[in-house]
């Protein structure tokens, strides 16, 4: 028997269990695991979200990023030996279809995923076909090899188009986007600029050598482009976020004839401005998984001096796996707030002029019910005015979407009076009961209301206060 991290039920959570050691069949290899890495897919499985409930068939050992050594060879395996240091390609393919025959296994329509469709590597041993075993040179650090699967996604995306002397935009500073930034600089890009909404991840990207890390919630990308000497737009784009807003911004800042690699998966279909793509003559290439040659490129880049250690943020013993997943989920949650959250975005904007003849200061209320969509005007009221019609509209929006637990209050600018802020606190309290609320505000009165009434967690980012509350 062996220890394994198992998805035992369809709901949230994982369990450390004793399970049988797999026995390699003909053409298979048993690998003793040394180190593993947590992928975003693993976090989805841990959380038991709709994707995981659709794809994962419990009980199953999860995990697909690892390094280890060969423990046993199945019948007919040649060219490998016990004790050899190895990793493994996580997509097991059919070897019969046209794509497999032409060497494009990443497009095999019958792919089986290790740790998704069959037992994975969050265990003392994993068993995979010989054709998926990747020999790992002893000079490569195991901490880095453990996440070669993700490194491969970044390599495939970044090296899809020539980079020498080019200006590159990366949208999405998740682990793969950050790794891709390092690859682009290593491969000779002139300028590499990365965008995100998460300052923690943008700081990691700076450690990987990007020329600029831009928080688009408060920084102007066009101004940064000007500062970096870009005159016609970006030559190459790497879309890593799955965000509609990030994708649309990328399309708008590409030079004519630019090329875009698309890796990020959206939470829902994204509308595409075909006219702009055609007029600009853009090339868009979808990226999935890794090419087998990416494994060689990864090893050679690390041996050639590409340092990926800045992207390693935590280390845990496997018996503390829950701490590892908690850290992973914390960063995933921060990355998703607040543009792609499935919920209602309710915004407040200080109006540019009086609404009434009395010259009262006014505020404008905006609402969005689709993730990633900019909020649209709902109504305007005087700061000292009553909120009944706004509350009614807000209640109606919530009532129509009971399945969406999140309400996002985003105070777009800081010109909101204390009286209006106090009424906003009342509005949130009275109309958002039973919903999780993310409150983004410049105004001390709103922050104080959240602190006194409903506070769960609060972080200060420059002049904005991010407060997550439950009502």
């Amino acid at each position: 028997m062996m220890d394994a991290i198992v998805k035992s039920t369809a709901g949230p959570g994982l369990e450390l269990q004793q399970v049988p050691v797999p026995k390699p069949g003909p053409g298979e290899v048993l690998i003793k695991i040394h180190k593993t890495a947590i992928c975003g897919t693993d976090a989805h499985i841990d959380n038991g979200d709709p994707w995981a409930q659709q794809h994962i068939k419990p009980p199953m050992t999860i995990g697909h990023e690892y390094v280890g050594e060969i423990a046993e060879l199945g019948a007919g395996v040649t060219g490998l030996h016990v004790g050899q240091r190895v990793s493994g390609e996580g997509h097991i393919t059919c070897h019969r279809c046209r794509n497999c025959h032409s060497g494009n296994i990443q497009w095999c329509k019958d792919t089986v995923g290790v740790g998704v469709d069959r037992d994975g590597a969050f265990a003392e041993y994993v068993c995979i076909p010989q054709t998926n075993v990747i020999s790992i040179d002893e000079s490569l650090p195991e901490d880095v090899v453990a996440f070669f699967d993700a490194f491969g996604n970044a390599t495939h995306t970044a090296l899809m188009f020539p980079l020498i002397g080019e200006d590159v935009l990366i949208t999405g500073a998740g682990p793969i986007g950050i790794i891709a930034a390092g690859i682009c600089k290593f491969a000779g890009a002139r300028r590499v600029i990365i965008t995100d909404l998460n300052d923690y991840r943008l700081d990691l990207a700076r450690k990987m050598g990007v020329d600029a890390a831009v928080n688009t919630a408060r920084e102007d990308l066009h101004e940064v482009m000007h500062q970096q000497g870009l005159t016609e737009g970006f030559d190459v784009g790497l879309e890593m976020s799955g965000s509609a807003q990030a994708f649309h911004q990328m399309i708008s800042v590409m030079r004519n004839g630019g090329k875009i690699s698309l890796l990020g998966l959206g939470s829902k279909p994204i509308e595409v401005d075909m006219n702009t793509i055609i007029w600009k003559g853009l090339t868009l290439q979808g990226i999935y998984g890794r090419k087998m040659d990416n494994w060689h490129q990864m090893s050679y880049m690390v041996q050639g001096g590409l340092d990926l250690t800045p992207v390693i943020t935590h280390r845990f013993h496997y018996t503390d796996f829950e701490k590892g997943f908690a850290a992973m989920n914390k960063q995933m949650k921060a990355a998703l707030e607040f543009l792609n959250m499935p919920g209602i975005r309710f915004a407040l904007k200080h109006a540019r002029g009086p609404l009434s003849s009395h010259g009262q200061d006014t505020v404008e209320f905006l609402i969005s019910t689709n993730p990633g969509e900019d909020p649209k005007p709902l109504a305007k009221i005087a700061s000292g005015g009553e909120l009944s019609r706004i509350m009614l509209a807000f209640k109606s929006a919530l009532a129509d979407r009971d399945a969406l637990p999140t309400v996002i209050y985003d105070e777009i600018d800081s010109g909101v009076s204390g009286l209006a802020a106090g009424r906003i606190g009342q509005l949130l309290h009275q109309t958002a009961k039973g919903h999780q609320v993310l409150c983004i505000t410049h105004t001390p009165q709103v922050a104080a209301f959240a602190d006194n009434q409903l506070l769960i967690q609060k972080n200060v980012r420059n002049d904005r206060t991010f407060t997550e509350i439950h009502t």
Side-chain angles (χ1 to χ4, degrees):
M1 301 292 284
M2 67 174 183
D3 282 347
I5 299 173
V6 177
K7 185 69 174 178
S8 58
T9 65
L14 300 166
E15 296 179 5
L16 183 62
Q17 297 182 357
Q18 281 273 295
V19 301
V21 176
K23 183 70 177 175
E28 293 185 330
V29 175
L30 182 68
I31 299 172
K32 178 178 175 60
I33 301 299
H34 291 177
K35 295 185 178 182
T36 65
I38 299 175
C39 173
T41 299
D42 301 318
H44 287 298
I45 296 172
D46 174 41
N47 293 331
D49 65 14
W51 177 90
Q53 293 186 29
Q54 180 181 356
H55 289 87
I56 305 302
K57 310 301 180 189
M60 178 182 293
T61 300
I62 72 165
H64 57 274
E65 300 188 14
Y66 61 93
V67 61
E69 65 178 89
I70 294 177
E72 185 179 347
L73 302 176
V77 174
T78 60
L80 300 170
H81 62 268
V82 172
Q84 184 175 355
R85 187 202 252 184
V86 295
S87 185
E89 167 55 48
H91 291 161
I92 299 172
T93 57
C94 72
H95 301 288
R96 299 184 302 273
C97 69
R98 181 175 179 179
N99 281 317
C100 285
H101 285 169
S102 61
N104 292 309
I105 67 164
Q106 71 275 11
W107 294 328
C108 176
K109 64 183 179 63
D110 295 319
T111 295
V112 173
V114 174
V116 175
D117 303 304
R118 59 182 279 165
D119 285 331
F122 286 176
E124 295 182 73
Y125 296 90
V126 67
C127 192
I128 62 173
Q130 174 187 1
T131 51
N132 285 69
V133 176
I134 306 294
S135 178
I136 299 296
D137 191 274
E138 293 290 339
S139 67
L140 298 173
E142 287 198 337
D143 280 6
V144 172
V145 178
F147 62 87
F148 261 29
D149 183 283
F151 184 15
N153 289 332
T155 301
H156 189 183
T157 308
L159 300 185
M160 177 54 61
F161 301 113
L163 294 172
I164 296 176
E166 303 286 50
D167 296 322
V168 181
L169 173 64
I170 302 173
T171 49
I176 297 176
I178 294 171
I179 294 170
I183 295 170
C184 291
K185 292 300 293 184
F186 186 80
R190 185 181 77 125
R191 294 284 186 268
V192 176
I193 297 175
I194 193 166
T195 65
D196 205 282
L197 300 172
N198 186 313
D199 288 327
Y200 174 80
R201 291 187 166 187
L202 290 170
D203 286 340
L204 289 178
R206 292 184 183 97
K207 294 178 182 178
M208 289 299 295
V210 298
D211 296 285
V214 182
N215 187 322
T216 53
R218 61 173 183 268
E219 297 177 76
D220 186 341
L221 178 59
H222 290 89
E223 178 61 28
V224 174
M225 292 169 63
H226 176 73
Q227 294 169 359
Q228 294 291 327
L230 276 73
T231 57
E232 296 185 26
F234 290 94
D235 307 296
V236 176
L238 311 181
E239 208 307 291
M240 305 296 211
S241 69
S243 162
Q245 290 175 313
F247 176 65
H248 294 152
Q249 184 175 53
M250 174 174 282
I251 293 293
S252 73
V253 295
M254 298 297 294
R255 72 164 173 85
N256 289 2
K259 298 173 173 60
I260 297 175
S261 296
L262 301 166
L263 181 74
L265 295 175
S267 59
K268 66 170 190 173
I270 295 174
E271 289 187 7
V272 176
D273 183 355
M274 291 296 296
N275 289 346
T276 299
I277 292 171
I278 292 168
W279 291 331
K280 283 193 166 189
L282 301 179
T283 299
L284 276 64
Q285 174 67 57
I287 306 294
Y288 181 74
R290 294 148 300 281
K291 298 178 180 179
M292 288 304 287
D293 189 48
N294 292 147
W295 286 92
H296 301 283
Q297 293 170 322
M298 289 186 281
S299 293
Y300 301 157
M301 283 190 286
V302 173
Q303 289 173 330
L306 177 60
D307 181 12
L308 296 177
T309 56
V311 304
I312 303 173
T313 58
H314 300 76
R315 293 173 174 86
F316 299 97
H317 190 268
Y318 75 84
T319 55
D320 290 325
F321 72 93
E322 291 175 327
K323 294 180 181 178
F325 277 93
M328 183 74 171
N329 282 319
K330 179 180 179 180
Q331 287 308 314
M332 287 182 67
K333 181 177 181 181
L336 288 173
E337 294 173 348
F338 47 91
L339 290 180
N340 283 319
M341 242 175 177
I344 295 173
R345 184 177 176 193
F346 174 66
L348 172 66
K349 182 178 182 181
H350 180 242
R352 303 301 180 188
L355 175 67
S356 71
S357 58
H358 301 292
Q360 291 177 296
D361 188 23
T362 62
V363 290
E364 182 177 14
F365 292 83
L366 307 94
I367 194 163
S368 168
T369 56
N370 294 318
E373 177 185 87
D374 287 333
K376 295 179 173 57
L378 179 66
K380 288 185 179 182
I381 65 165
S383 293
E386 52 86 22
L387 297 178
S388 59
R389 65 180 181 276
I390 302 298
M391 293 172 67
L392 286 173
F394 192 26
K395 285 180 179 179
S396 176
L398 289 173
D400 290 342
R401 294 164 178 83
D402 288 337
L404 298 179
T406 303
V407 176
I408 302 163
Y409 165 62
D410 179 7
E411 187 179 291
I412 292 177
D413 62 17
S414 57
V416 180
S417 71
L419 180 58
R423 290 186 178 275
I424 291 303
Q426 174 191 2
L427 172 66
L428 289 173
H429 185 59
Q430 294 184 4
T431 63
K433 289 185 181 299
H435 295 263
Q436 179 175 291
V437 176
L438 175 67
C439 178
I440 305 166
T441 178
H442 304 268
T443 311
Q445 288 89 342
V446 175
F449 174 84
D451 285 341
N452 294 334
Q453 303 291 327
L454 309 162
L455 178 65
I456 288 181
Q457 181 181 354
K458 175 178 174 182
N459 295 304
V460 176
R461 305 291 170 103
N462 290 339
D463 65 334
R464 295 183 121 192
T465 300
F466 287 66
T467 303
E468 182 184 336
I469 58 180
H470 280 272
T471 55

